[in-house]
Amino acid sequence: YIKLFPPAGEIIAVSTVRVCRARTEYMAYGGPPGSAGYWNYATEELVFYDAQVKEKGKRSSDANTFIVLYHEAFHQYIHYSAGEVPPHSWFNEGHGDYFSGADVVGSKVRKIGVNPWRLGTITRAVNEAKFVPWKDILRFEQPEYYRGDRVGLCYAQGWSMVYFLRQSPVVAKHPQWSKLLDTYFNELKLDYARNLALLETQGRKDDRRAKAEVGVASRKYALEKAFEGVDIAALESEWVTFMSKLEFKR
């Protein structure tokens, strides 16, 4: 997290994590329906549960538990790293799912692999040309991303977009595409800090509504700066090619 997303300032917060014994305890604590974990920015607490799979005659697996942990831990980290402004959902949820593919050995990340929860959904969408156009999903605010009839697709596509931008050899060699994620994040941090400073001069630094409004403005600004001059249709076409060849390998 720190290597890819240098913090806007010193992080002094204590990262609180609550691990529930099982899903029933997690739901009783307030887990959202259909979720396996969540980051509560209001209480600054990451909550998930032990989802260990135990089958008779087989070795127990913690894979699903860590997929959730690595995803939610990214949300927890980025909250502080970005200066407490959430990025666009494709970037935020996409990176959460990107880090869910981490293969951690000891204290080191050996590699970032494919997220097994998302690959099937987005592969079908790409093959059937039923994905969300990049020009649209890039601009989705959270309510649009979470719309009931497409939230699963948006999550899968957000993951695939980030995975593509970080893993594609074609992207790595492209002078514009290779800088998109870094430019977006850096511009978001800088613009939000400028906007917060302006609110402070107006005596509104603790005005939640005003902070939410400048957050939207900063996201738009960062997106415009990152994708300025970028042929989004060409980028989308290369993503389709990349995803059509992607497979899950253990």
Side-chain angles (χ1 to χ4, degrees):
Y1 302 153
I2 294 173
K3 181 179 178 180
L4 294 182
F5 302 100
E10 182 184 4
I11 297 177
I12 59 174
V14 174
S15 296
T16 303
V17 179
R18 181 180 296 271
V19 187
C20 296
R21 186 184 307 276
R23 182 169 180 79
T24 51
E25 185 176 283
Y26 167 78
M27 297 305 294
Y29 187 70
S35 71
Y38 65 96
W39 155 246
N40 187 332
Y41 73 90
T43 61
E44 299 187 47
E45 181 180 61
L46 188 165
V47 184
F48 72 116
Y49 64 93
D50 182 354
Q52 186 181 74
V53 176
K54 298 178 181 179
E55 295 183 43
K56 190 174 181 180
K58 295 183 179 181
R59 186 176 180 180
S60 61
S61 172
D62 285 318
N64 287 338
T65 303
F66 282 98
I67 283 176
V68 175
L69 173 60
Y70 297 156
H71 179 114
E72 300 303 334
F74 172 73
H75 292 325
Q76 185 176 45
Y77 172 77
I78 207 71
H79 174 77
Y80 302 115
S81 178
E84 302 188 9
V85 58
H88 276 96
S89 292
W90 68 269
F91 187 99
N92 201 359
E93 299 299 345
H95 273 99
D97 276 336
Y98 175 76
F99 286 112
S100 287
D103 180 7
V104 180
V105 179
S107 61
K108 294 186 177 182
V109 177
R110 187 169 64 178
K111 67 176 181 177
I112 300 289
V114 169
N115 186 313
W117 290 9
R118 308 302 183 199
L119 182 61
T121 298
I122 192 57
T123 298
R124 286 191 296 273
V126 167
N127 289 340
E128 297 171 8
K130 293 182 178 178
F131 55 85
V132 183
W134 274 52
K135 64 181 178 60
D136 297 328
I137 197 171
L138 285 170
R139 294 174 171 79
F140 280 176
E141 287 291 321
Q142 192 176 63
E144 298 168 290
Y145 201 82
Y146 276 66
R147 203 178 78 184
D149 61 335
R150 67 182 177 204
V151 61
L153 172 59
C154 283
Y155 262 82
Q157 186 165 332
W159 161 73
S160 70
M161 291 164 68
V162 169
Y163 190 84
F164 161 68
L165 290 172
R166 293 213 175 272
Q167 299 287 338
S168 165
V170 174
V171 171
K173 295 176 183 178
H174 197 284
Q176 286 180 308
W177 298 354
S178 60
K179 299 175 183 177
L180 289 174
L181 295 175
D182 288 345
T183 299
Y184 174 87
F185 183 65
N186 290 331
E187 294 294 344
L188 177 66
K189 287 189 299 183
L190 291 171
D191 193 64
Y192 188 64
R194 287 193 293 263
N195 284 330
L196 283 186
L198 181 60
L199 286 181
E200 187 167 5
T201 64
Q202 298 170 349
R204 298 195 296 161
K205 68 174 184 177
D206 296 321
D207 185 331
R208 288 191 176 184
R209 183 172 180 176
K211 289 174 72 173
E213 289 174 352
V214 299
V216 171
S218 292
R219 283 191 288 275
K220 290 181 178 179
Y221 175 82
L223 196 67
E224 290 173 1
K225 295 292 287 185
F227 285 85
E228 185 177 7
V230 173
D231 186 339
I232 295 179
L235 183 62
E236 180 185 279
S237 178
E238 182 59 38
W239 165 76
V240 167
T241 300
F242 178 85
M243 291 307 302
S244 66
K245 300 176 182 177
L246 194 61
E247 297 178 351
F248 176 62
K249 297 178 181 179
R250 292 188 179 278

Coordinates of all heavy atoms in Angstrom, one line a residue, residues 89-132:
S89 N -15.1 5.2 -7.2 CA -15.3 3.8 -6.8 C -14.5 2.8 -7.6 O -14.0 1.8 -7.1 CB -16.8 3.4 -6.9 OG -17.5 4.1 -5.9
W90 N -14.4 3.0 -9.0 CA -13.6 2.1 -9.8 C -12.2 2.0 -9.3 O -11.5 0.9 -9.3 CB -13.6 2.5 -11.3 CG -12.8 3.7 -11.6 CD1 -13.3 5.0 -11.6 CD2 -11.4 3.9 -11.9 NE1 -12.3 5.9 -11.9 CE2 -11.2 5.2 -12.0 CE3 -10.4 2.9 -12.0 CZ2 -9.9 5.7 -12.4 CZ3 -9.1 3.4 -12.3 CH2 -8.9 4.8 -12.5
F91 N -11.6 3.1 -8.8 CA -10.2 3.1 -8.3 C -10.2 2.5 -6.9 O -9.3 1.7 -6.6 CB -9.8 4.6 -8.3 CG -8.3 4.8 -8.0 CD1 -7.4 5.0 -9.0 CD2 -7.9 4.8 -6.6 CE1 -6.0 5.2 -8.7 CE2 -6.6 5.0 -6.3 CZ -5.6 5.2 -7.3
N92 N -11.1 2.9 -6.1 CA -11.1 2.5 -4.7 C -11.4 1.0 -4.5 O -10.7 0.2 -4.0 CB -12.1 3.3 -3.9 CG -11.9 3.4 -2.4 OD1 -10.9 2.7 -1.9 ND2 -12.7 4.1 -1.7
E93 N -12.6 0.6 -5.1 CA -13.0 -0.8 -5.0 C -12.1 -1.7 -5.9 O -11.8 -2.8 -5.5 CB -14.5 -1.0 -5.4 CG -15.4 -0.2 -4.5 CD -15.4 -0.7 -3.1 OE1 -14.8 -1.8 -2.7 OE2 -16.0 0.0 -2.2
G94 N -11.7 -1.1 -7.0 CA -10.8 -1.9 -7.9 C -9.5 -2.2 -7.3 O -9.0 -3.3 -7.4
H95 N -8.9 -1.3 -6.5 CA -7.6 -1.5 -5.9 C -7.8 -2.5 -4.6 O -7.0 -3.3 -4.3 CB -7.0 -0.2 -5.4 CG -6.1 0.3 -6.5 ND1 -6.5 1.3 -7.3 CD2 -4.8 0.0 -6.9 CE1 -5.5 1.6 -8.2 NE2 -4.5 0.9 -7.9
G96 N -9.0 -2.3 -4.0 CA -9.3 -3.3 -2.9 C -9.2 -4.7 -3.4 O -8.6 -5.6 -2.8
D97 N -9.9 -4.9 -4.5 CA -9.9 -6.3 -5.1 C -8.6 -6.6 -5.7 O -8.2 -7.8 -5.8 CB -11.0 -6.3 -6.2 CG -12.4 -6.6 -5.6 OD1 -12.5 -7.2 -4.5 OD2 -13.4 -6.3 -6.2
Y98 N -7.9 -5.6 -6.2 CA -6.5 -5.9 -6.7 C -5.6 -6.5 -5.6 O -5.0 -7.5 -5.8 CB -5.9 -4.6 -7.3 CG -4.5 -4.8 -7.8 CD1 -4.2 -5.4 -9.0 CD2 -3.4 -4.2 -7.0 CE1 -2.9 -5.5 -9.4 CE2 -2.1 -4.3 -7.5 CZ -1.9 -5.0 -8.7 OH -0.5 -5.1 -9.1
F99 N -5.6 -5.9 -4.5 CA -4.8 -6.3 -3.4 C -5.3 -7.6 -2.8 O -4.6 -8.4 -2.1 CB -4.6 -5.3 -2.3 CG -3.7 -4.1 -2.7 CD1 -4.2 -2.9 -2.9 CD2 -2.4 -4.3 -2.9 CE1 -3.4 -1.8 -3.3 CE2 -1.5 -3.3 -3.2 CZ -2.0 -2.1 -3.5
S100 N -6.6 -8.0 -3.0 CA -7.1 -9.2 -2.6 C -6.4 -10.4 -3.2 O -6.4 -11.5 -2.7 CB -8.6 -9.3 -2.9 OG -9.4 -8.5 -2.0
G101 N -5.8 -10.1 -4.4 CA -5.0 -11.2 -5.1 C -3.6 -11.3 -4.6 O -2.8 -12.0 -5.2
A102 N -3.2 -10.6 -3.5 CA -1.9 -10.7 -3.0 C -1.5 -12.1 -2.5 O -2.3 -12.7 -1.7 CB -1.7 -9.6 -1.9
D103 N -0.3 -12.5 -2.8 CA 0.2 -13.8 -2.3 C 1.3 -13.4 -1.3 O 2.4 -12.9 -1.7 CB 0.8 -14.6 -3.4 CG 1.4 -15.9 -3.0 OD1 1.3 -16.2 -1.8 OD2 2.1 -16.6 -3.8
V104 N 1.0 -13.4 0.0 CA 1.9 -12.9 1.0 C 2.6 -14.1 1.7 O 1.9 -15.1 2.2 CB 1.1 -12.1 2.1 CG1 2.1 -11.6 3.2 CG2 0.4 -11.0 1.4
V105 N 3.9 -14.1 1.7 CA 4.7 -15.1 2.4 C 5.5 -14.4 3.5 O 6.3 -13.6 3.2 CB 5.6 -15.8 1.4 CG1 6.5 -16.9 2.1 CG2 4.8 -16.5 0.3
G106 N 5.2 -14.8 4.7 CA 5.9 -14.1 5.8 C 5.4 -12.7 5.9 O 4.2 -12.4 6.0
S107 N 6.3 -11.7 5.7 CA 5.9 -10.3 5.7 C 6.1 -9.7 4.4 O 6.1 -8.4 4.3 CB 6.8 -9.6 6.8 OG 8.2 -9.7 6.4
K108 N 6.3 -10.5 3.3 CA 6.5 -9.9 2.0 C 5.4 -10.4 1.0 O 4.9 -11.5 1.1 CB 7.9 -10.4 1.5 CG 9.0 -9.8 2.3 CD 10.4 -10.1 1.6 CE 11.5 -9.4 2.4 NZ 12.8 -9.7 1.8
V109 N 5.1 -9.4 0.1 CA 4.1 -9.8 -1.0 C 4.9 -10.4 -2.1 O 5.8 -9.7 -2.7 CB 3.4 -8.5 -1.5 CG1 2.5 -8.9 -2.6 CG2 2.6 -7.9 -0.3
R110 N 4.7 -11.7 -2.4 CA 5.4 -12.4 -3.4 C 5.0 -12.0 -4.8 O 5.8 -11.8 -5.7 CB 5.3 -13.9 -3.2 CG 6.2 -14.7 -4.2 CD 6.3 -16.1 -3.8 NE 4.9 -16.8 -3.9 CZ 4.7 -18.1 -3.7 NH1 5.7 -18.8 -3.3 NH2 3.5 -18.6 -3.8
K111 N 3.6 -11.8 -4.9 CA 3.1 -11.4 -6.2 C 1.6 -10.9 -6.0 O 1.0 -11.2 -4.9 CB 3.1 -12.5 -7.2 CG 2.2 -13.7 -6.9 CD 2.2 -14.7 -8.0 CE 1.3 -15.9 -7.6 NZ 1.2 -16.9 -8.7
I112 N 1.1 -10.3 -7.0 CA -0.4 -9.9 -7.0 C -1.0 -10.8 -8.1 O -0.7 -10.6 -9.3 CB -0.6 -8.4 -7.3 CG1 0.1 -7.6 -6.2 CG2 -2.1 -8.2 -7.3 CD1 -0.6 -7.6 -4.8
G113 N -1.8 -11.7 -7.7 CA -2.5 -12.6 -8.7 C -3.9 -12.1 -9.1 O -4.4 -11.1 -8.6
V114 N -4.5 -12.9 -9.8 CA -5.9 -12.7 -10.3 C -6.9 -12.9 -9.1 O -6.7 -13.8 -8.3 CB -6.3 -13.6 -11.4 CG1 -7.8 -13.6 -11.7 CG2 -5.5 -13.3 -12.7
N115 N -7.9 -12.0 -9.0 CA -8.9 -12.2 -8.0 C -9.9 -13.2 -8.4 O -10.7 -13.0 -9.4 CB -9.6 -10.8 -7.7 CG -10.6 -10.9 -6.6 OD1 -11.4 -11.8 -6.5 ND2 -10.5 -9.9 -5.7
P116 N -10.0 -14.4 -7.8 CA -10.9 -15.5 -8.2 C -12.4 -15.1 -8.1 O -13.2 -15.7 -8.7 CB -10.5 -16.6 -7.3 CG -9.9 -16.0 -6.1 CD -9.2 -14.8 -6.6
W117 N -12.7 -14.1 -7.2 CA -14.1 -13.8 -7.0 C -14.6 -12.9 -8.2 O -15.8 -12.8 -8.4 CB -14.3 -13.0 -5.8 CG -14.1 -13.7 -4.5 CD1 -13.7 -15.0 -4.4 CD2 -14.4 -13.3 -3.2 NE1 -13.6 -15.4 -3.0 CE2 -14.1 -14.3 -2.3 CE3 -14.9 -12.1 -2.7 CZ2 -14.3 -14.2 -0.9 CZ3 -15.1 -12.0 -1.3 CH2 -14.8 -13.0 -0.4
R118 N -13.8 -12.3 -9.0 CA -14.2 -11.3 -10.0 C -14.0 -11.8 -11.4 O -14.6 -11.2 -12.3 CB -13.4 -10.0 -9.8 CG -13.5 -9.4 -8.4 CD -14.9 -9.2 -7.9 NE -14.9 -8.5 -6.5 CZ -15.9 -8.5 -5.7 NH1 -17.1 -9.1 -6.1 NH2 -15.9 -8.0 -4.6
L119 N -13.0 -12.7 -11.6 CA -12.7 -13.0 -13.0 C -13.8 -13.5 -13.8 O -14.0 -13.1 -15.0 CB -11.5 -14.0 -13.0 CG -11.0 -14.4 -14.3 CD1 -10.4 -13.2 -15.1 CD2 -9.9 -15.5 -14.2
G120 N -14.6 -14.5 -13.3 CA -15.7 -15.1 -14.1 C -16.7 -14.0 -14.6 O -17.1 -14.1 -15.7
T121 N -17.1 -13.2 -13.6 CA -18.1 -12.2 -14.0 C -17.6 -11.2 -15.1 O -18.4 -11.0 -16.0 CB -18.4 -11.3 -12.7 OG1 -19.0 -12.2 -11.7 CG2 -19.5 -10.2 -13.1
I122 N -16.4 -10.7 -15.0 CA -16.0 -9.7 -16.0 C -15.6 -10.4 -17.3 O -15.8 -9.9 -18.4 CB -14.8 -8.9 -15.5 CG1 -14.6 -7.7 -16.4 CG2 -13.6 -9.7 -15.3 CD1 -15.8 -6.8 -16.6
T123 N -15.1 -11.7 -17.2 CA -14.8 -12.4 -18.5 C -16.1 -12.6 -19.3 O -16.1 -12.4 -20.5 CB -14.2 -13.8 -18.2 OG1 -12.9 -13.5 -17.5 CG2 -13.9 -14.5 -19.4
R124 N -17.2 -13.0 -18.6 CA -18.5 -13.2 -19.3 C -19.0 -11.9 -19.9 O -19.4 -11.8 -21.0 CB -19.5 -13.8 -18.4 CG -19.3 -15.2 -18.0 CD -20.5 -15.8 -17.3 NE -20.7 -15.2 -16.0 CZ -20.2 -15.6 -14.9 NH1 -19.3 -16.6 -14.9 NH2 -20.4 -15.0 -13.8
A125 N -18.8 -10.8 -19.1 CA -19.3 -9.5 -19.6 C -18.5 -9.0 -20.8 O -19.1 -8.5 -21.8 CB -19.2 -8.5 -18.5
V126 N -17.2 -9.3 -20.8 CA -16.4 -8.9 -21.9 C -16.7 -9.7 -23.2 O -16.9 -9.2 -24.3 CB -14.9 -9.0 -21.6 CG1 -14.0 -8.9 -22.8 CG2 -14.5 -7.9 -20.6
N127 N -16.8 -11.0 -23.0 CA -17.1 -11.9 -24.1 C -18.5 -11.6 -24.7 O -18.7 -11.8 -25.9 CB -17.1 -13.4 -23.6 CG -15.7 -13.8 -23.3 OD1 -14.7 -13.2 -23.8 ND2 -15.6 -14.9 -22.5
E128 N -19.4 -11.1 -23.9 CA -20.8 -10.8 -24.4 C -21.0 -9.4 -24.7 O -22.1 -8.9 -25.0 CB -21.8 -11.3 -23.4 CG -21.8 -12.8 -23.1 CD -22.7 -13.2 -22.0 OE1 -23.4 -12.4 -21.4 OE2 -22.6 -14.4 -21.6
A129 N -19.9 -8.6 -24.5 CA -19.9 -7.1 -24.8 C -21.0 -6.5 -23.9 O -21.8 -5.6 -24.4 CB -20.2 -6.8 -26.3
K130 N -21.1 -6.9 -22.6 CA -22.1 -6.3 -21.7 C -21.5 -5.6 -20.5 O -22.1 -5.5 -19.5 CB -23.0 -7.5 -21.2 CG -23.9 -8.1 -22.3 CD -24.8 -9.1 -21.7 CE -25.7 -9.7 -22.8 NZ -26.6 -10.8 -22.3
F131 N -20.2 -5.2 -20.7 CA -19.6 -4.4 -19.7 C -20.0 -2.9 -19.7 O -20.6 -2.5 -20.7 CB -18.0 -4.5 -19.8 CG -17.5 -4.1 -21.2 CD1 -17.2 -2.8 -21.5 CD2 -17.3 -5.1 -22.2 CE1 -16.8 -2.4 -22.7 CE2 -16.8 -4.7 -23.4 CZ -16.6 -3.4 -23.7
V132 N -19.6 -2.2 -18.7 CA -20.0 -0.7 -18.7 C -18.9 0.0 -19.4 O -17.7 -0.2 -19.2 CB -20.0 -0.2 -17.2 CG1 -20.4 1.3 -17.2 CG2 -21.0 -1.1 -16.4

